[in-house]
Amino acid sequence: MPANPPSGTALRFFADALSAHKQGDLGRAEALYVQALQAEPHYADALHYLGLLHGQKGNPEAAARLIAEAAELAPHPITHMHLADSLQSLGRLAEALAQYDKALAMKADLAPAWYGRGTALQDLGRLEEASASYDKCLSLTPDSVAALCDKGNLMQQLGRASDALPFYQRAVALQASHAGLHFNLAGLLNGLGQYTEALKSFDAALSLEPRYTDAHSGRGTVLQNLNKPAEALESYNRALALDANHAVSLYNRGIVLAQLGRAQDALESYDHALRLNPIGAEIFYNRGNVLHDLNRKPEAIESFDRAIALKPDYPEAFYNRGIVLYEMRRLEDALASYDGAIAAAPRHSSAYHNRGLVLHDLKRIDDALASYDAALAIDPTAGEAAGGAFNIVAYRCDWPERAKRANVLVDLALAGHLVEPFNMIAAADNPQAQGRGAAAYIARMAPPKPSQPRKARPANLKIRLGYLSGDFHEHPVALLTAPLFETHDRAQFEVLGFSSGSKSDTPTRHRVEKGFDKLFDVEGLSDAQVAQGLAELNVDIAIDLSGHTKGSRTTALAFRPTPIAVALLGFPGTTGAPFLDYIIADRHIVSEQTQGFYSEKPVFLPDTYMPNHRERKIAKAPSRAEAGLPETGFVFCAFNGSYKITREIFDIWMRLLHDTPDSVLWLNFNYDAAMARLRTEALLRGVAPERLIFAPMLPDPAEHLARLQLADVFLDTNIYNAHATAADTLWAGVPVITCPGQSFSARVAGSLVSAAGMPELATASLADYEALARKCAHDPAFLRALKTRLIAARETSALFDANRYRRHLETAYGMMWDRHQRGLAPESFSVF
């Protein structure tokens, strides 16, 4: 029905209604619009504006009905546009779009209609058409902040975040006093990785609205991305001061607290977040991680299970769950968890690597190798998987594969990729590759941590030493160091021990425990808790006896809980750790040419880096028959692990057997695959396999030393020498023939024979090594003279003089402490 011309009465009511409407008096305006319509029921303008008023009051159904009636009575572009607005608010997008199109058909330059049309198209998912509508609006009204913002949002929705930036920037320039616009721009900049600019925008929003909770929280996220966790924590705390239940801030605060090593506080933050959102899979996942950090492993598993129940395709939850299960030695469950990670993320290289670790421990060696290779097929730079594969083929003495995989490890390490340090030192005599691989490894295992606060310390106190080890049981490290702990000069030092390995009821454990002023069991503590204990006890010099070996707590020292941290004995190479100041060495171990490849500053002791003593008991020697040896013939001994044996060194050994009739090669008992391959390799070189004799492990050190006396000479391996085994052999009176290389692990035996007063046993080349071994085998008088000197060296040489070693080590500690007291940075030095 066409609209009638309004009567004078209707016009008066309508004019008064408009005035009240503009003044915000909606109740009076509504009554006057109704009176106008009572005077003129088909008054289109009154219907239109009454509809707009209902929209303002939150009644979109009434708004759409009244404006639709007005549009039918008096079609007009503005009316159709407002009808479209109402329909869009009701979610009736297709109808709204039709009304925008009607408005634009009547007035093509109606910018708000182009804008509304764009929003409707965007909500319908017709993004390219929406973009064109926004462009048309902006061509008509370039300063439309709403259109600029929504065009920016659309660009992000299209995955073109960088294209969104100029629209947000233009909106902020037009309305610089609008905190929300600065906030939106900051969020975009953060997503684009422009963190410094994002921080400025968040700060601009907060300068306009200091109590803007989301801005404080967003600012914390940027600071996290800038690797400023302490500052990020401040921002999250400000957000939570404004809204204690701000879930995003609670969650992110937990992440930051975990990063800062405050695992318990992180757990409390996650638990608060979960009270607000009990279905947050990511919160359960991160909560599992901090429970793991707190060594609360069963609870960590439960939290990972909750995350997986909420998000069944959550690969990282499966993966980290597998790590905890592996540590708990629940190997089959760990394997299933890694399989779950791979099912959720088939290209999860790290899951394949960890799966290989589990399969290796389950004695499924071929499956383990296949799993490592699957990881490398996905990521050829996966150094840990490359190391695991190398380890398998090295133990098997599969020399073609060993050489190929060793080259892979060297290339990865030199390129700066993470390589597990223990595998690297066995793979190649390359100090540069070892240094780079260790640095990459420790950077992931122990990223920089906040320092632990320490109490003020009186200057006149004794120097407090703290020895950390996972090997305070029947282990070479404990056997070598126990006399050192007992005899430290208590007038100068307090001596504390920190045991991170399983407590054992063994004589060596009891002796070590008595040797310390106090021994602390830290096996069940997190790194942060270990560091806190070191700081609270005011340990001055932490001495890490484990490095990259089983049970190590080297990573706790990343918190810098002590003024000085030292690497000693346990790991034969650089740790790569920037938080370890010194490494105890000697001039044989670290050459001038290789010193630059160590992250620590070498401290050179005058004799040898390795503590030894004259307390080694030797049991009654067994007969050759009892030891499994033939009654006659020369015995070449090589009691190194099979993973240390290379083709090059084995070729030398076989030539020596060829040239020495009735001789045998006495080897360590290894697993069957290695023994079978070595026998096969011997046969291929014309040596009867039965001339390789494999000795079983003997748990009693005294019986092992007694057995060693049956050997004529010990043939060392070159890439990775005999270490404690070489010291044992020298104590048993058997010459150790070695050929020093360049890296720490390749120079230990050279250090030991020199300290024993037998430097000629460290040969200059493998040709000399072979020649010396042959001379020993073929010149009985020469060999007798060597053995006579070795027997005498037990009482006279520096190698077995425990007190001499202790005094030199204590001098080193004193010099380190003196430098620290004078404010000097760690520097390499020699002890005389």
Side-chain angles (χ1 to χ4, degrees), residues 270-292:
Y270 289 139
D271 284 344
H272 190 167
L274 282 169
R275 288 194 290 273
L276 301 171
N277 176 23
I279 58 171
E282 286 75 16
I283 306 176
F284 278 113
Y285 165 71
N286 282 291
R287 182 176 181 273
N289 290 335
V290 297
L291 285 164
H292 180 212

Side-chain angles (χ1 to χ4, degrees), residues 399-453:
W399 293 319
E401 278 294 305
R402 186 191 202 283
K404 182 176 74 175
R405 292 179 185 273
N407 289 336
V408 168
L409 286 186
V410 169
D411 290 344
L412 287 173
L414 290 176
H417 296 294
L418 181 155
V419 176
E420 201 282 320
F422 199 86
N423 288 325
M424 189 67 247
I425 64 173
D429 181 19
N430 188 322
Q432 183 180 20
Q434 291 179 15
R436 288 192 182 176
Y441 182 81
I442 204 71
R444 192 191 74 176
M445 298 301 292
K449 306 285 188 187
S451 296
Q452 287 288 335

Side-chain angles (χ1 to χ4, degrees), residues 343-368:
R347 295 189 61 78
H348 199 312
S349 172
S350 296
Y352 275 108
H353 163 255
N354 284 16
R355 183 175 180 272
L357 291 175
V358 177
L359 289 164
H360 193 285
D361 286 3
L362 287 168
K363 310 301 182 188
R364 292 168 55 183
I365 306 301
D366 290 332
D367 291 338

Side-chain angles (χ1 to χ4, degrees), residues 566-799:
V566 181
L568 170 64
L569 186 61
F571 181 73
T574 180
T575 62
F579 46 82
L580 289 182
D581 304 297
Y582 298 100
I583 184 168
I584 300 299
D586 59 59
R587 292 291 179 184
H588 299 283
I589 289 293
V590 180
S591 68
E592 191 173 326
Q593 294 75 24
T594 62
Q595 189 169 334
F597 301 127
Y598 287 75
S599 60
E600 312 88 350
K601 301 296 182 184
V603 172
F604 298 104
L605 300 188
D607 305 311
T608 180
Y609 84 102
M610 183 186 287
N612 272 285
H613 50 81
R614 297 191 178 104
E615 298 181 17
R616 288 179 169 86
K617 294 180 181 178
I618 301 179
K620 180 183 176 183
S623 68
R624 287 174 66 123
E626 288 171 335
L629 294 169
E631 289 298 335
T632 60
F634 196 88
V635 178
F636 293 103
C637 178
F639 272 12
N640 278 329
S642 62
Y643 68 95
K644 297 182 179 182
I645 303 172
T646 61
R647 171 183 279 168
E648 183 180 36
I649 210 77
F650 191 76
D651 285 342
I652 293 172
W653 296 349
M654 294 302 99
R655 288 197 294 270
L656 290 168
L657 291 180
H658 262 299
D659 295 348
T660 310
D662 298 326
S663 63
V664 295
L665 179 63
W666 199 17
L667 298 159
N668 260 339
F669 179 88
N670 289 279
Y671 65 92
D672 292 343
M675 293 190 294
R677 186 177 293 273
L678 288 174
R679 287 188 172 118
T680 299
E681 293 291 342
L683 186 62
L684 291 172
R685 289 160 177 78
V687 174
E690 58 268 23
R691 293 179 68 185
L692 274 59
I693 299 173
F694 293 92
M697 285 288 295
L698 290 180
D700 185 342
E703 291 183 8
H704 173 63
L705 288 168
R707 174 177 65 177
L708 276 172
Q709 295 176 104
L710 300 176
D712 290 301
V713 295
F714 185 100
L715 300 176
D716 196 18
T717 44
N718 57 332
I719 291 177
Y720 194 155
N721 294 170
H723 295 180
T725 296
D728 288 344
T729 305
L730 292 169
W731 180 253
V734 178
V736 173
I737 300 175
T738 188
C739 181
Q742 294 300 308
S743 55
F744 193 125
S745 60
R747 298 176 69 83
V748 169
S751 168
L752 299 178
V753 297
S754 295
M758 310 282 285
E760 68 271 29
L761 295 177
T763 60
S765 68
L766 286 177
D768 291 346
Y769 165 97
E770 183 175 352
L772 179 58
R774 186 173 286 106
K775 183 173 179 61
C776 287
H778 296 176
D779 188 339
F782 176 76
L783 180 58
R784 277 196 302 274
L786 287 179
K787 289 194 169 187
T788 299
R789 286 170 59 200
L790 270 178
I791 296 298
R794 289 177 181 170
E795 301 302 323
T796 60
S797 72
L799 178 60

Side-chain angles (χ1 to χ4, degrees), residues 310-330:
L310 293 165
K311 188 177 175 182
D313 60 346
Y314 201 159
E316 293 309 320
F318 277 110
Y319 177 75
N320 285 10
R321 179 177 179 271
I323 291 173
V324 180
L325 288 164
Y326 180 69
E327 290 175 0
M328 296 172 73
R329 307 309 293 164
R330 290 170 54 183

Side-chain angles (χ1 to χ4, degrees), residues 434-628:
Q434 291 179 15
R436 288 192 182 176
Y441 182 81
I442 204 71
R444 192 191 74 176
M445 298 301 292
K449 306 285 188 187
S451 296
Q452 287 288 335
R454 289 171 55 85
K455 299 173 185 175
R457 179 188 185 283
N460 59 348
L461 288 183
K462 300 175 187 178
I463 299 172
R464 184 169 287 178
L465 306 177
Y467 286 92
L468 286 79
S469 179
D471 300 315
F472 289 145
H473 51 85
E474 301 303 319
H475 185 278
V477 167
L479 292 168
L480 291 171
T481 54
L484 173 66
F485 307 145
E486 293 166 345
T487 58
H488 264 311
D489 182 358
R490 274 6 190 230
Q492 295 184 66
F493 302 98
E494 289 183 65
V495 189
L496 306 179
F498 298 84
S499 174
S500 55
S502 297
K503 188 171 182 179
S504 60
D505 186 17
T506 62
T508 301
R509 170 70 181 207
H510 293 311
R511 179 176 180 182
V512 165
E513 192 161 359
K514 290 178 181 177
F516 287 118
D517 296 332
K518 186 162 187 182
L519 178 64
F520 298 89
D521 184 4
V522 299
E523 184 199 6
L525 302 184
S526 68
D527 281 350
Q529 289 169 322
V530 173
Q532 183 180 357
L534 288 165
E536 289 179 352
L537 287 165
N538 263 0
V539 172
D540 298 311
I541 303 177
I543 303 102
D544 176 26
L545 292 170
S546 294
H548 300 297
T549 63
K550 185 178 180 181
S552 168
R553 297 311 288 272
T554 305
T555 47
L557 299 178
F559 289 91
R560 280 287 186 181
T562 61
I564 299 169
V566 181
L568 170 64
L569 186 61
F571 181 73
T574 180
T575 62
F579 46 82
L580 289 182
D581 304 297
Y582 298 100
I583 184 168
I584 300 299
D586 59 59
R587 292 291 179 184
H588 299 283
I589 289 293
V590 180
S591 68
E592 191 173 326
Q593 294 75 24
T594 62
Q595 189 169 334
F597 301 127
Y598 287 75
S599 60
E600 312 88 350
K601 301 296 182 184
V603 172
F604 298 104
L605 300 188
D607 305 311
T608 180
Y609 84 102
M610 183 186 287
N612 272 285
H613 50 81
R614 297 191 178 104
E615 298 181 17
R616 288 179 169 86
K617 294 180 181 178
I618 301 179
K620 180 183 176 183
S623 68
R624 287 174 66 123
E626 288 171 335

